[in-house]
Amino acid sequence: MYKKYFYTLFLLFLAFLILSNENAKEIIAGITIFLIGMVFMEDGFKLFSGGVLEKVLKKSTSTLPKSIFSGFLATSVVQSSSLLTIIVISFLSAELITLSGAVGVIFGSNIGTTTTAWIVSSFGVKIDIAKYALPMISFGVVFSFNKEKSYKGFGNILLGLGFVFLGIAYMKSGFDSLKDAIDLASLSLDGYLGVIVYVAVGALATIIIQSSSATMALIITALAVGQIEYYNALALAIGANIGTTVTAIIGSIKSNNNAKRLAVAHLIFNVVTAVVAIVFLYQLADFVQYLSIKVGIAKEDYILQLALFHTIFNVLGVLLVSPFTNILVRYLKSIFKEKDTQVKAKYLDEAVVHSPEAAFSAVKKEVEHLYDNAIEVISHALSLHRHKYIGSDDISCVIEESNETIDTDINKYYEENIKNLYSEILYFATLAQEEMDPEQKDEVYRLKTACRNIVEAIKDVRELQKNIDKYLHGKNEFVRNEYNNLRKNIAKTIDILYHARSLSDDLDVVSKIKDLRNDMQHFDYIQNGKIDTLIREHKIDSKSATSLINDNSFTYTISNNLIESAITLWINDKDIRTLGRHR
């Protein structure tokens, strides 16, 4: 409700500024055009890169230095820390990178965002970039109508750059005109009071604009026309860094726990960096001036010195915070823990769905999550606990000793947990396939089939459970023994698949599954004549025999569905072909 009222008031205030002052209208127009440009550039790099950015990040976050460098390089190229954050959150949700790696990328991204300041200060305010903007926009529109993703992406990048340059030109023109009416530099404040005030203004501006890059462009253009003093501009830049963390926190409120953890990491990094920069502002300014002379920046070129300062204090922040990354990661893992006991999707995130590499990994891991929950409920339906029989040297003995019924309402568990998770996987996988190439689409289709097999196994054990509960505590020891054999067959299948899952060599997995399939041929009571023998010897009655034959069929189907799912999840395509698929 408050957000709605705030938004209405903001629109009214914006309308008042635009209608009441021509210069303010020009500056606001410049900011909005700049923001549109950033959006086009972000979308353009998504299409143009064709997943290259995701692949690079996936392979270059194994160590903290690599993660920081990857974050810096990626943000410098795509000029969008928000795009990078979305990719990092999606990879973290899909467990393609570690939390430590994700934090490192965010650290590097903070340095990467400073390249915007260099672009604006080097080209935006020193040359007439408006004359380059219109040709870029024109060619960008032409390319954006192309059906090829790479051309369309390139067109969006050109559009983005054109709008960014045009926005800077409007901001510069607005501040130039404003100087004739109001000299904002006369309102400057000296000392640390001025620093604190301008830091707050910079943070507030970024919260309102929702882009630290746009805020920096605004600060640089204002400094270029002399509307603000140099030291006040430095304080505004620090404030912009703080303001961008508020944007990240607001964006993470309705997102998953990984997004919240990264927002907290971003907040800690930027607050520590800002505090150090504020305390040592004048010393850092002196260092920037000294370094400027060394690298050939003119003593009076405060615009480039501002860009250098922006880079230096972010690099300083990385140097200060990165040694404590492990402590930070441990803290982040301790917060935002799941409290709900209901089975929910762990890896599916809206941010992942448009990144084919991460989306496929998320779907696969979620199917594994479904499989693990299925194994739990199947075990309980058989009156077994997984930790007792998986890895046991004598499964038969465990089966004999496990004769107490575990109170499990499979219908309820299926309706409240499995069905919802199954539905979420199918829905997410269908959306994800739209962005995938034919090979990835085929792999996701197989994962959907694996989901169906897992769910069918649960439905079949629901039927099996009824007679297990009935005959396991009956007086006929022969019937009881046969039901123990059925339990053992499923338990043995689950145990073998559990160990096959941990094998690194696919050929070893294929060998184990082949042996398991051969053993399954002996499951058939009709084929092996075991039921016939028990009937002839009057050890079981006809009703028990019928139940055993039906439940034997359920046992075979459950085991086979679990095997088929395991093949999809843990064996490569080429090895699946050598294994062959048959029921």
Side-chain angles (χ1 to χ4, degrees):
M1 181 180 285
Y2 290 112
K3 186 177 180 181
K4 182 180 177 182
Y5 287 129
F6 175 78
Y7 186 65
T8 305
L9 288 171
F10 174 71
L11 288 176
L12 290 171
F13 178 69
L14 194 64
F16 171 75
L17 282 178
I18 291 171
L19 295 172
S20 64
N21 190 293
E22 284 295 320
N23 299 322
K25 181 169 70 175
E26 203 166 6
I27 294 168
I28 291 167
I31 295 169
T32 54
I33 293 169
F34 184 94
L35 289 171
I36 290 169
M38 296 299 286
V39 171
F40 270 110
M41 284 179 67
E42 182 176 318
D43 291 340
F45 276 110
K46 272 186 192 175
L47 292 169
F48 185 70
S49 64
V52 172
L53 180 60
E54 288 91 336
K55 289 173 184 175
V56 169
L57 285 174
K58 182 182 174 182
K59 293 179 180 179
S60 57
T61 55
S62 55
T63 64
L64 186 61
K66 279 185 180 180
S67 300
I68 293 171
F69 180 74
S70 299
F72 159 71
L73 188 63
T75 308
S76 299
V77 172
V78 303
Q79 285 295 295
S80 174
S81 59
S82 59
L83 171 61
L84 192 69
T85 302
I86 288 168
I87 294 171
V88 170
I89 290 170
S90 69
F91 277 25
L92 192 57
S93 298
E95 294 187 352
L96 290 174
I97 60 175
T98 62
L99 183 56
S100 176
V103 169
V105 172
I106 295 301
F107 288 171
S109 178
N110 274 272
I111 302 173
T113 55
T114 66
T115 56
T116 304
W118 284 103
I119 292 169
V120 175
S121 59
S122 300
F123 305 106
V125 295
K126 294 195 173 184
I127 58 175
D128 182 14
I129 58 170
K131 66 181 182 182
Y132 299 106
L134 295 179
M136 283 182 173
I137 292 171
S138 301
F139 281 103
V141 169
V142 173
F143 277 112
S144 67
F145 282 115
N146 199 294
K147 291 182 180 180
E148 286 287 328
K149 279 189 176 182
S150 56
Y151 285 111
K152 191 179 180 72
F154 181 65
N156 282 354
I157 292 170
L158 283 179
L159 273 170
L161 281 171
F163 281 127
V164 163
F165 287 171
L166 192 63
I168 293 168
Y170 269 103
M171 283 188 273
K172 185 181 176 184
S173 174
F175 276 118
D176 268 330
S177 302
L178 185 66
K179 192 173 182 181
D180 297 331
I182 304 170
D183 186 8
L184 294 178
S186 64
L187 303 176
S188 64
L189 296 171
D190 296 327
Y192 274 100
L193 174 61
V195 172
I196 299 299
V197 169
Y198 276 90
V199 165
V201 171
L204 184 62
T206 305
I207 293 167
I208 293 170
I209 299 172
Q210 295 282 293
S211 170
S212 60
S213 295
T215 305
M216 283 304 301
L218 193 62
I219 295 165
I220 291 166
T221 51
L223 179 64
V225 298
Q227 280 285 38
I228 53 174
E229 297 292 338
Y230 174 61
Y231 282 101
N232 293 153
L234 299 185
L236 285 168
I238 296 169
N241 258 37
I242 297 173
T244 195
T245 63
V246 177
T247 303
I249 290 168
I250 293 170
S252 71
I253 288 172
K254 291 185 179 180
S255 192
N256 63 14
N257 287 343
N258 288 319
K260 291 182 175 70
R261 290 186 185 108
L262 283 184
V264 171
H266 197 200
L267 174 66
I268 291 170
F269 172 84
N270 280 21
V271 168
V272 169
T273 304
V275 169
V276 172
I278 290 168
V279 172
F280 298 102
L281 177 65
Y282 295 103
Q283 289 83 354
L284 282 172
D286 290 341
F287 177 68
V288 166
Q289 198 166 50
Y290 167 77
L291 198 60
S292 296
I293 296 168
K294 295 293 181 183
V295 296
I297 297 174
K299 189 176 180 180
E300 300 301 321
D301 193 346
Y302 293 118
I303 302 165
L304 282 177
Q305 287 182 34
L306 172 60
L308 183 59
F309 172 83
H310 194 214
T311 300
I312 286 173
F313 91 79
N314 274 286
V315 170
L316 180 63
V318 171
L319 293 174
L320 288 171
V321 179
S322 58
F324 304 99
T325 300
N326 290 334
I327 297 171
L328 177 60
V329 166
R330 283 198 296 272
Y331 168 69
L332 294 174
K333 286 180 177 178
S334 70
I335 57 178
F336 307 119
K337 290 185 176 180
E338 298 286 352
K339 295 179 181 178
D340 198 343
T341 56
Q342 190 178 21
V343 175
K344 292 182 178 179
K346 290 171 64 177
Y347 306 101
L348 307 183
D349 190 319
E350 287 182 9
V352 185
V353 77
H354 299 296
S355 173
E357 188 89 12
F360 173 73
S361 181
V363 173
K364 184 177 179 182
K365 286 183 179 295
E366 204 61 66
V367 177
E368 289 179 342
H369 181 215
L370 177 67
Y371 176 89
D372 291 334
N373 280 281
I375 295 305
E376 180 182 13
V377 73
I378 288 170
S379 299
H380 288 178
L382 301 176
S383 297
L384 296 171
H385 290 287
R386 289 172 298 171
H387 68 275
K388 288 186 177 180
Y389 72 85
I390 292 179
S392 171
D393 295 329
D394 192 350
I395 290 179
S396 297
C397 182
V398 174
I399 300 293
E400 290 289 340
E401 293 174 355
S402 303
N403 52 20
E404 290 187 13
T405 301
I406 299 173
D407 186 20
T408 304
D409 187 338
I410 296 182
N411 284 321
K412 184 179 179 182
Y413 189 85
Y414 174 78
E415 289 295 331
E416 293 182 356
N417 296 285
I418 298 299
K419 189 175 182 179
N420 290 335
L421 183 56
Y422 180 36
S423 301
E424 285 187 60
I425 293 171
L426 292 183
Y427 179 76
F428 181 90
T430 301
L431 293 180
Q433 282 178 304
E434 293 179 12
E435 305 278 342
M436 294 180 173
D437 58 41
E439 186 179 345
Q440 287 173 320
K441 286 180 179 178
D442 184 57
E443 289 176 345
V444 172
Y445 172 77
R446 285 176 43 228
L447 287 172
K448 287 182 180 179
T449 305
C451 278
R452 185 190 64 198
N453 290 336
I454 293 167
V455 170
E456 289 299 323
I458 295 171
K459 290 180 178 179
D460 286 338
V461 85
R462 179 173 55 187
E463 301 301 319
L464 184 59
Q465 183 192 33
K466 299 171 185 175
N467 284 335
I468 286 177
D469 290 344
K470 177 181 176 181
Y471 291 112
L472 203 60
H473 303 97
K475 294 179 180 179
N476 190 321
E477 65 173 303
F478 298 104
V479 176
R480 187 167 61 248
N481 288 339
E482 291 311 313
Y483 271 97
N484 276 336
N485 282 332
L486 297 182
R487 293 164 73 208
K488 183 178 74 174
N489 289 337
I490 297 175
K492 184 181 176 183
T493 300
I494 292 171
D495 179 59
I496 291 173
L497 293 178
Y498 176 83
H499 291 293
R501 180 178 181 176
S502 61
L503 294 173
S504 57
D505 190 341
D506 280 348
L507 293 177
D508 290 339
V509 180
V510 170
S511 176
K512 277 191 172 292
I513 290 179
K514 275 186 176 179
D515 292 340
L516 182 57
R517 277 181 161 172
N518 290 333
D519 290 343
M520 282 176 60
Q521 302 309 313
H522 304 296
F523 283 12
D524 194 339
Y525 277 164
I526 295 176
Q527 186 177 345
N528 63 31
K530 196 169 187 180
I531 294 296
D532 294 345
T533 302
L534 291 172
I535 291 172
R536 288 193 198 100
E537 294 176 358
H538 304 288
K539 291 178 178 178
I540 62 172
D541 58 27
S542 58
K543 189 176 180 181
S544 299
T546 304
S547 295
L548 275 169
I549 290 171
N550 289 335
D551 290 336
N552 171 248
S553 177
F554 285 130
T555 300
Y556 180 87
T557 307
I558 291 165
S559 295
N560 195 64
N561 277 326
L562 293 178
I563 289 170
E564 291 296 323
S565 302
I567 289 171
T568 299
L569 288 169
W570 302 309
I571 301 180
N572 288 332
D573 282 349
K574 60 177 182 176
D575 295 317
I576 289 174
R577 289 192 288 271
T578 63
L579 177 64
R581 306 189 107 184
H582 59 274
R583 291 184 181 274

